[in-house]
């Protein structure tokens, strides 16, 4: 029996909290990774562990975002999946959020992931996956989150249409609607303060389940897990297809 080839996966936003957890999970499962992120030091540390190619990427550079998939294809010699974990929070009444902050939210949370995945469509193999994190906020947005929720909802809508457009190629489009996680994400908002929130969920089980879902789409390429499995998994990430 032949040994399945390791899946080749691009992680965009690998230096963020969720991105780092996802990268660790994927590496532990035997994936070959191409990583992008904003934090040069963290990216270098992650590259030393994974041994794969890395690239600094600014979410505002949409041309560079669109080129991430073709770059990963060239570096890895193939591309089985793409996971985009970039995101930024912002809060405040709709009438008070500055236009510049609203533009920033829409660019980072929607336009950047859309550009990455748009550019990756011709690069990813048939039967692979394309994924981005919209979050549970698209299901039940709170008062004071209009612009933030709108940016994530725009991404979720786009992913839903993309899923139908690539169905013939059997590409899974995964809209990861993760719960509010205890990562400090809301405290790093670019504008405003978060509304009252319950304590966030442990991100490790949530990311573990997301990676389970993504790897499960790869069939024979899905590697066996080599690291210890975390405890009970939380809410299953919603798919867009």
């Amino acid at each position: 029996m032949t040994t399945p080839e390791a899946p080749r996966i691009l992680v965009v936003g690998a230096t963020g909290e969720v991105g780092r957890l996802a990268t660790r999970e994927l590496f532990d499962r035997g994936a070959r990774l191409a990583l992008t992120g904003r934090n040069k030091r963290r990216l270098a540390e992650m590259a030393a562990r994974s041994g794969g190619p890395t690239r600094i990427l600014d979410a505002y550079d949409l041309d560079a975002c669109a080129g991430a998939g073709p770059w990963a294809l060239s570096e890895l010699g193939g591309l089985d999946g793409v996971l985009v974990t970039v995101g930024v929070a912002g809060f405040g009444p709709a009438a008070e959020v500055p236009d510049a902050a609203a533009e920033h939210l829409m660019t980072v949370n929607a336009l950047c992931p859309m550009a990455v995945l748009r550019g990756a469509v011709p690069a990813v193999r048939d039967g692979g996956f394309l994924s981005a994190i919209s979050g549970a906020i698209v299901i039940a947005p709170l008062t004071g989150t209009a612009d933030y929720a709108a940016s994530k909802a725009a991404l979720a809508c786009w992913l839903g249409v993309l899923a139908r457009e690539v169905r013939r190629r059997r590409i899974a489009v995964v809209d990861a609607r993760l719960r509010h996680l205890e990562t400090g994400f809301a405290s790093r908002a670019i504008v405003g303060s978060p509304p009252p929130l319950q304590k966030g969920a442990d991100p490790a089980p949530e990311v573990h389940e997301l990676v389970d879902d993504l790897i499960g789409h790869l069939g024979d390429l899905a590697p066996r897990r080599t690291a210890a499995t975390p405890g009970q998994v939380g809410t299953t990430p919603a798919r867009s297809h």
Side-chain angles (χ1 to χ4, degrees):
M1 174 182 278
T2 59
T3 301
E5 184 181 353
R8 297 156 296 189
I9 298 172
L10 166 65
V11 181
V12 176
T15 58
E17 297 304 317
V18 171
R20 285 198 290 176
L21 284 171
T23 296
R24 188 178 303 122
E25 283 269 353
L26 288 164
F27 179 74
D28 287 346
R29 295 168 190 239
R32 293 176 55 205
L33 303 174
L35 307 176
T36 78
R38 284 196 313 153
N39 189 306
K40 186 176 182 179
R41 177 184 59 79
R42 286 185 182 178
L43 202 58
E45 292 172 353
M46 297 168 77
R49 184 183 183 210
S50 71
T54 63
R55 171 180 277 190
I56 298 294
L57 185 66
D58 188 329
Y60 255 75
D61 188 343
L62 298 182
D63 286 339
C65 291
W71 164 76
L73 172 66
S74 175
E75 292 288 333
L76 298 175
L79 190 59
D80 301 300
V82 179
L83 171 61
V84 184
T85 67
V86 298
V88 66
F91 307 103
E96 298 177 12
V97 172
D99 289 335
E103 178 190 27
H104 189 89
L105 289 166
M106 192 63 69
T107 300
V108 176
N109 293 337
L111 297 182
C112 165
M114 289 157 60
V116 170
L117 298 181
R118 191 192 332 274
V121 167
V124 73
R125 70 166 177 87
D126 291 2
F129 69 79
L130 300 168
S131 179
I133 297 174
S134 65
I137 191 169
V138 305
I139 302 170
L142 301 173
T143 301
T145 67
D147 289 273
Y148 174 45
S151 66
K152 290 294 191 177
L155 173 61
C157 177
W158 188 87
L159 291 170
V161 176
L162 177 65
R164 300 198 301 272
E165 294 177 349
V166 299
R167 186 174 296 157
R168 290 184 179 179
R169 292 180 55 198
R170 297 176 292 104
I171 295 175
V173 177
V174 181
D175 176 358
R177 297 184 180 181
L178 303 184
R179 296 184 291 171
H180 168 53
L181 304 176
E182 199 63 31
T183 61
F185 179 71
S187 66
R188 298 189 292 273
I190 61 164
V191 64
S193 299
L197 299 170
Q198 294 183 341
K199 181 178 175 60
D202 180 357
E206 292 279 322
V207 174
H208 170 78
E209 184 169 346
L210 170 59
V211 171
D212 266 350
D213 188 31
L214 298 179
I215 290 294
H217 288 294
L218 298 182
D220 292 341
L221 281 182
R224 292 182 179 179
R225 183 170 174 79
T226 57
T229 302
Q232 185 176 1
V233 176
T235 304
T236 302
R239 302 178 190 172
S240 63
H241 67 294

